[in-house]
Amino acid sequence: MSSDAVAPTRIQRLRTWASRETTGGALLIGAAFLALLWANSPWRDAYQALSTTVVGPAAIGPLPVHLDLSLSTWAADGLLAIFFFVVGVELKQEFVAGSLRNPKEAGVPMIAAVGGMAVPALIYVAVVLSLGEPGALHGWAIPTATDIAFAVGVLAIFGRGLPTAIRTFLLTLAVVDDLLAIVVIAIFYTSEIHWLSLLGTLVCVALFLWHVRSRTPRWFVLLPLAAVAWALMHASGVHATISGVLLGFTVPAIAMHGEARSRTSRYEHRLKPLSSGIALPVFAFFAAGVSLVDGDGPGAVIGQPVVAAIAAGLVLGKLIGVLATTALITRITPLRLPDGIGVRDLLPVALLAGIGFTVSLLISELSFGDSEHTDGAKIAILGASVLAAILGAISLRWDARRARNADMNLDGRPDEVRSYIGDAKDRESH
């Protein structure tokens, strides 16, 4: 390092720390664990009072805006919009200049993502019907989601020494999973649409698109446009987080106006600390606070059919769906796994895909609201996600210790593997 190099400030170091893959997963787990402790402590009434505290205006002048929401609703509808904006930006970058740009390279993980959503949904439906709980069918989409931050965080810690192509495969699978989850939320978890409000949202998104592509977009223009788009989407009946995805897709993914970096990468860099360091942990804190000591006790909650259905869907469904789909398409189509990845590497990937967490918790709230199934669904998501993470971590270390051959993907050509998870080049690029 040169003598005139400027040391990073405390704020810059904090932003870097909050942006790390390992940090996001740790904060999610910590916030959920704290919520569970508080919700089952002698002070659990204080937790419930905090969650149900209403903040925001019901109307602005003569105009009703219906933004008098509880803190837990603000976390699910408001803060998660930031997370979904970052997801939208990441998806745009991947589609234009990343792993989803070439369908031949992205084909296997993309199709694996579809199988990894379909099988858990089928298992969920089969379990709730076999256990005589048809009223819980509306939660079929809960075990279909994969939590990117949590899954990639586990991979970063326990996957050291494995080719970075495994991370790319997992990221591709997870972003396609997120995109399909967004579509599922928009189609199946929207009860009534107010078309005028939805039209207003689209107008705001179009204005955001115009300004974010200008030579010098200003935050004091973009931020109000995003806030109004979110409020109108909330009023339309479509889940408000969808506005974040739409706004994220408008950000250009190719460098323009002489810029050195694309705006998608710059915006992701700026907002990732806010998303993974604040938005996701706060949402997890309000979503995971399930009381097991009230009512009929923990046995009644854990014994609900939705618990078995969600746990089986996330842990077994994701495993079977990802592995079976990949095995099928690599046998009957010309598609092959990327260089450096063998079939055995898909075992930890499939297990990590069973970490539902963020989006699964959101879908559980949309599915059941405050019904009798809500607590059981959340406990199942938390327990199954932790189990999937533990099994994924164990299988990653098993995989990393085994010898690798020159043609892991069996395409008849020696694999070109240039970087490995945890080495200096990998850390610089992530």
Side-chain angles (χ1 to χ4, degrees):
M1 182 180 291
S2 61
S3 59
D4 58 347
V6 178
T9 65
R10 184 175 298 177
I11 296 297
Q12 288 172 331
R13 290 197 298 269
L14 182 61
R15 287 177 59 87
T16 300
W17 175 81
S19 299
R20 289 175 184 162
E21 295 164 346
T22 51
T23 302
L27 289 176
L28 275 176
I29 286 289
F33 184 66
L34 177 61
L36 275 172
L37 283 180
W38 193 358
N40 291 280
S41 73
W43 307 279
R44 56 187 175 275
D45 289 341
Y47 174 83
Q48 293 300 326
L50 179 65
S51 298
T52 56
T53 298
V54 174
V55 176
I60 299 177
L63 179 66
V65 293
H66 307 295
L67 294 179
D68 48 338
L69 309 174
S70 67
L71 288 179
S72 60
T73 304
W74 274 113
D77 290 12
L79 287 179
L80 272 195
I82 300 171
F83 163 72
F84 274 98
F85 177 83
V86 174
V87 168
V89 167
E90 290 176 337
L91 284 170
K92 178 71 174 289
Q93 179 69 27
E94 293 298 326
F95 274 119
V96 175
S99 61
L100 299 179
R101 177 183 57 183
N102 186 343
K104 289 187 68 176
E105 292 183 7
V108 176
M110 289 175 70
I111 298 172
V114 176
M117 294 184 74
V119 175
L122 292 172
I123 287 178
Y124 177 94
V125 171
V127 171
V128 294
L129 288 179
S130 64
L131 295 179
E133 193 68 63
L137 282 175
H138 196 52
W140 64 269
I142 294 172
T144 64
T146 295
D147 189 290
I148 295 179
F150 199 165
V152 175
V154 174
L155 179 63
I157 296 172
F158 296 98
R160 292 178 179 273
L162 292 171
T164 52
I166 295 175
R167 178 198 274 122
T168 303
F169 189 98
L170 176 61
L171 279 173
T172 304
L173 185 152
V175 294
V176 172
D177 189 298
D178 266 2
L179 180 62
L180 294 175
I182 290 161
V183 173
V184 166
I185 291 171
I187 296 176
F188 296 100
Y189 293 94
T190 298
S191 56
E192 182 182 1
I193 298 179
H194 301 284
W195 294 101
L196 189 60
S197 296
L198 185 60
L199 178 61
T201 301
L202 297 179
V203 170
C204 289
V205 170
L207 291 173
F208 190 96
L209 167 68
W210 166 75
H211 191 65
V212 81
R213 298 182 68 86
S214 65
R215 181 171 292 275
T216 53
R218 306 293 186 184
W219 70 267
F220 52 80
V221 176
L222 294 177
L223 193 56
L225 283 172
V228 174
W230 176 88
L232 288 170
M233 183 68 84
H234 182 271
S236 73
V238 179
H239 199 265
T241 52
I242 304 298
S243 64
V245 181
L246 295 177
L247 293 169
F249 271 127
T250 66
V251 180
I254 298 177
M256 54 196 307
H257 302 301
E259 296 169 336
R261 298 170 61 195
S262 67
R263 292 181 184 177
T264 48
S265 61
R266 284 163 49 202
Y267 284 27
E268 179 190 355
H269 178 73
R270 291 176 186 173
L271 289 175
K272 193 71 175 283
L274 178 61
S275 172
S276 60
I278 297 177
L280 290 181
V282 172
F283 166 74
F285 174 77
F286 283 110
V290 179
S291 177
L292 298 174
V293 296
D294 293 328
D296 296 326
V301 175
I302 297 173
Q304 292 179 9
V306 293
V307 174
I310 292 171
L314 283 174
V315 179
L316 294 178
K318 284 288 186 180
L319 180 65
I320 296 170
V322 171
L323 290 179
T325 304
T326 305
L328 183 64
I329 62 174
T330 52
R331 283 175 179 268
I332 67 174
T333 75
L335 294 175
R336 292 294 178 268
L337 292 168
D339 275 0
I341 299 182
V343 174
R344 79 174 198 221
D345 300 315
L346 296 184
L347 175 62
V349 167
L351 287 168
L352 293 180
I355 303 175
F357 221 82
T358 306
V359 180
S360 291
L361 287 171
L362 174 61
I363 296 176
S364 73
E365 293 192 345
L366 297 176
S367 299
F368 302 131
D370 296 323
S371 77
E372 59 180 319
H373 304 301
T374 307
D375 288 351
K378 291 183 177 181
I379 285 295
I381 293 165
L382 297 175
S385 295
V386 171
L387 177 59
I390 292 171
L391 294 175
I394 293 171
S395 64
L396 281 170
R397 296 318 306 152
W398 166 81
D399 191 19
R401 292 189 183 102
R402 295 186 65 194
R404 307 185 71 83
N405 60 47
D407 185 18
M408 290 295 295
N409 63 348
L410 302 177
D411 64 351
R413 297 180 293 106
D415 294 338
E416 294 184 16
V417 181
R418 297 185 176 88
S419 61
Y420 296 86
I421 297 171
D423 64 19
K425 181 179 178 182
D426 174 60
R427 288 194 297 271
E428 289 173 5
S429 63
H430 292 87

